[in-house]
Every structure is written in structure tokens, then in C-alpha cells.
Amino acid sequence: MVKENCACLKTIEYKIFTILQVNELKAKLGPLVGRNAIYCSDACLKRYLVARNWNVDKAKKMLEETFKWRSMYKPDEIRWPEIAFESETGKLYRASFHDREGRTVLIMKPGKQNTTSLENQIRHLVYLMENALLNLPEGQEQMSWLIDFNGWSLSTSVPIKSARETVNILQNHYPERLALAFLYNPPRIFEAFWKVVKYFLDPKTFQKVRFVYPKKQESVELMKSYFDEENLPSEFGGKAQLEYVHEEYSRLMIQDDVKCAAFWEPGEKQHHVINGYTSAAVAPE
């Protein structure tokens, strides 16, 4: 009973601390308008605080860099027809199932690489991360990645420069969005590539990477603990026989594009946030 009371007290203290830190960050950011106001939910502010070990000033700086990046890169304006050709082989797509925590799952199959433009490949990934987050269940903030290395080779691997840019985007502009990345059965030759890439990862991201080998029982149990075998595709050790059909997936993405536009572009009304309260101000984006 004493332990339960102590745990309950710590939970309450943590919630109070979180509220205070979030409110302080709001105050330092000042009034937000347009898409920045939509972006900066309390949950978002908390993610940036966690990423910067609850340092409000560092979290503010990180957020402001994200504002600049989103303003220039415009990830919320990428639409499926622009990058659909990148998905023709099914090398990267949002799964139709969630993990046991209800997180959206992105499936990656780098061995099915079909293009050479690094810019388009990164744009494709950003689009699907935005899409994955748009489809998170209520109360869930993170996604999981399943990476299948069947057919992967150094000739199909992304260049180190591209890998570094991808890591930077994930860590700097999508903090605390990745729950876990499962690297399924990577070949021995991948070790050389990983030795370089891992130095780009901050400690928190590095801890989220799991190497999974189907012949090792601990790997099998790990996958079972995070995924329902009935939903998990057979190439990841599950029982589901799933096939990526580009035409069907394209229809889903076009529907999601409509949902994305409705979320980010609420007509002429512009979200305006002062001290955490949202109102509507009529002004152009």
C-alpha cells in the first residue's frame, strides 16, 4: 500500500511538473498563429521538452527551428500524386494494422528501392511520417517502424549523406514520435553501414533501435510482445499474408490527402493561440 501511494504521488508530481513546464514554454513562445498554432498542442510541447530534457529554453529553440523547417519544406502540403511513384514497389508504406500499444506502423523494405533521387526519397518518407501521425489513434503520440532487409545490399542502401539528413529530420523535427524501430534480419554486411549511421543518432533515438533475428528466440519473443502474430506480416515472423497493392494503397492515400487538407487548412479561419487558448482570427495563412 505504501509503495502504491508513493507511486501515485510521483505520478501526480510528474503531471504537475509537466503542466508547469508546458505553460512556461507557451509563455516564452508567445502568441502563435496559423499552422504553428495547430502544430503546437500541449502534447507537442511536451515532446519537445522531453527531447531537450525539460529545458524550456532549449525546447523553445528546437521548436523555432521546426517552425522554420516546416515553413520552407512544407511537409503538410505534400500530396500523394507528387510522390506516388516512389511507392510503386511497396518499399515504404503505412501498415493496415497497429502494434499492441495502438501505434501506427510504417513498413520499410529498402531492398525494393526503385528510384535514385535522394530528395524525392526523403520527401516520400516525410509524407508518410505526416500520414502516419495523422492516423494515430486518440491519445497515442508515436509510431513504430518495421524494416525488412530482405533483398538489401550496399547497392540499394541510401548514401550516408541521405541517411544523415533523414536522421536529422526525424530527431530535430519529429522528436519523440518514433517509439521503436525494428531492424528485421539485417545481413552481416549491414554492420559496416550501421557503424557509420549510429553516430548520427542521439542516445534516445539509439535506444529505440531493435535488431531482430528470426532464428533467435529472444527476437521472436520481442516481436510477439509488440505485435499480434495474426496481424504481423509473415516476412516479419507473423502469420498474416499481406500483399502491397499500389492501386489500392493509392486510393487510401488520396482519401488521407483530403483529411490532411481539412486538418491544416481550415478555410479563411486562422487558429490563434494566446497562453494555450485557441480562438479564430480571420486572416490569410
Side-chain angles (χ1 to χ4, degrees), residues 137-187:
E138 186 175 354
Q140 183 54 261
E141 293 288 318
Q142 296 183 306
M143 56 185 161
S144 293
W145 290 3
L146 283 173
I147 306 173
D148 174 19
F149 280 86
N150 183 42
W152 183 91
S153 66
L154 287 177
S155 63
T156 59
S157 68
V158 297
I160 296 299
K161 180 182 178 181
S162 178
R164 184 172 188 173
E165 185 173 349
T166 300
V167 168
N168 286 340
I169 289 174
L170 175 66
Q171 293 181 160
N172 296 332
H173 305 306
Y174 295 89
E176 298 303 310
R177 283 302 201 179
L178 178 65
L180 290 167
F182 298 88
L183 278 59
Y184 197 85
N185 206 25

Side-chain angles (χ1 to χ4, degrees), residues 30-67:
L32 299 173
V33 297
R35 297 186 181 188
N36 287 347
I38 300 173
Y39 183 75
C40 286
S41 63
D42 283 3
C44 171
L45 299 181
K46 179 183 175 182
R47 287 194 304 273
Y48 278 79
L49 284 163
V50 171
R52 290 296 178 261
N53 296 315
W54 298 98
N55 184 301
V56 175
D57 289 329
K58 290 182 178 180
K60 175 177 178 286
K61 182 179 179 181
M62 188 183 190
L63 256 172
E64 289 171 342
E65 289 300 317
T66 293
F67 291 162

Side-chain angles (χ1 to χ4, degrees), residues 19 27 45 83 116 158 193 236 254 256 272 276:
I19 292 171
L45 299 181
I83 48 82
T116 57
V158 297
F193 182 79
F236 292 103
I254 289 171
D256 277 355
H272 187 73

Side-chain angles (χ1 to χ4, degrees), residues 32 88 132 244 254 259 277:
L32 299 173
E88 288 178 353
Y244 175 82
I254 289 171
K259 184 164 62 174
Y277 295 94

Side-chain angles (χ1 to χ4, degrees), residues 2-283:
V2 173
K3 288 184 178 180
E4 290 178 357
N5 288 338
C6 288
C8 183
L9 182 60
K10 287 183 178 179
T11 300
I12 294 172
E13 290 175 346
Y14 176 75
K15 288 182 178 179
I16 293 173
F17 172 76
T18 299
I19 292 171
L20 292 174
Q21 294 297 97
V22 166
N23 286 341
E24 184 180 346
L25 181 53
K26 284 180 185 177
K28 291 206 171 190
L29 285 170
L32 299 173
V33 297
R35 297 186 181 188
N36 287 347
I38 300 173
Y39 183 75
C40 286
S41 63
D42 283 3
C44 171
L45 299 181
K46 179 183 175 182
R47 287 194 304 273
Y48 278 79
L49 284 163
V50 171
R52 290 296 178 261
N53 296 315
W54 298 98
N55 184 301
V56 175
D57 289 329
K58 290 182 178 180
K60 175 177 178 286
K61 182 179 179 181
M62 188 183 190
L63 256 172
E64 289 171 342
E65 289 300 317
T66 293
F67 291 162
K68 292 177 185 176
W69 177 78
R70 293 186 73 88
S71 176
M72 292 186 295
Y73 200 85
K74 301 185 185 302
D76 46 359
E77 294 183 13
I78 304 172
R79 296 294 179 260
W80 178 250
E82 300 172 40
I83 48 82
F85 65 93
E86 287 284 348
S87 274
E88 288 178 353
T89 59
K91 67 183 179 186
L92 171 59
Y93 62 96
R94 174 170 58 84
S96 58
F97 60 90
H98 294 80
D99 67 13
R100 291 190 185 276
E101 298 297 322
R103 293 180 284 243
T104 302
V105 177
L106 283 185
I107 291 179
M108 304 178 184
K109 298 186 175 186
K112 292 189 175 185
Q113 182 59 265
N114 63 322
T115 61
T116 57
S117 170
L118 302 181
E119 182 180 348
N120 287 335
Q121 289 168 11
I122 292 174
R123 196 164 178 81
H124 180 219
L125 174 61
V126 168
Y127 170 85
L128 281 167
M129 286 199 294
E130 291 279 320
N131 180 270
L133 300 176
L134 186 69
N135 284 280
L136 285 173
E138 186 175 354
Q140 183 54 261
E141 293 288 318
Q142 296 183 306
M143 56 185 161
S144 293
W145 290 3
L146 283 173
I147 306 173
D148 174 19
F149 280 86
N150 183 42
W152 183 91
S153 66
L154 287 177
S155 63
T156 59
S157 68
V158 297
I160 296 299
K161 180 182 178 181
S162 178
R164 184 172 188 173
E165 185 173 349
T166 300
V167 168
N168 286 340
I169 289 174
L170 175 66
Q171 293 181 160
N172 296 332
H173 305 306
Y174 295 89
E176 298 303 310
R177 283 302 201 179
L178 178 65
L180 290 167
F182 298 88
L183 278 59
Y184 197 85
N185 206 25
R188 184 177 295 276
I189 196 172
F190 177 75
E191 292 178 7
F193 182 79
W194 175 247
K195 284 180 180 179
V196 177
V197 173
K198 69 180 182 180
Y199 287 108
F200 305 150
L201 303 178
D202 63 34
K204 288 185 178 180
T205 304
F206 182 79
Q207 291 172 7
K208 296 175 181 179
V209 177
R210 300 287 187 275
F211 283 80
V212 180
Y213 299 96
K215 292 183 180 181
K216 292 186 177 181
Q217 188 59 33
E218 60 183 303
S219 287
V220 173
E221 295 303 320
L222 175 70
M223 294 300 284
K224 286 182 179 179
S225 68
Y226 284 100
F227 300 94
D228 184 334
E229 278 187 296
E230 300 300 323
N231 295 330
L232 190 66
S234 57
E235 58 264 37
F236 292 103
K239 297 180 179 179
Q241 298 298 321
L242 301 180
E243 180 183 359
Y244 175 82
V245 180
H246 186 63
E247 292 73 19
E248 292 180 7
Y249 190 72
S250 292
R251 284 194 287 271
L252 291 175
M253 293 299 99
I254 289 171
Q255 291 173 11
D256 277 355
D257 281 353
V258 175
K259 184 164 62 174
C260 177
F263 179 81
W264 289 108
E265 300 165 9
E268 294 290 324
K269 291 184 178 180
Q270 185 179 44
H271 288 251
H272 187 73
V273 177
I274 300 177
N275 295 330
Y277 295 94
T278 303
S279 61
V282 178

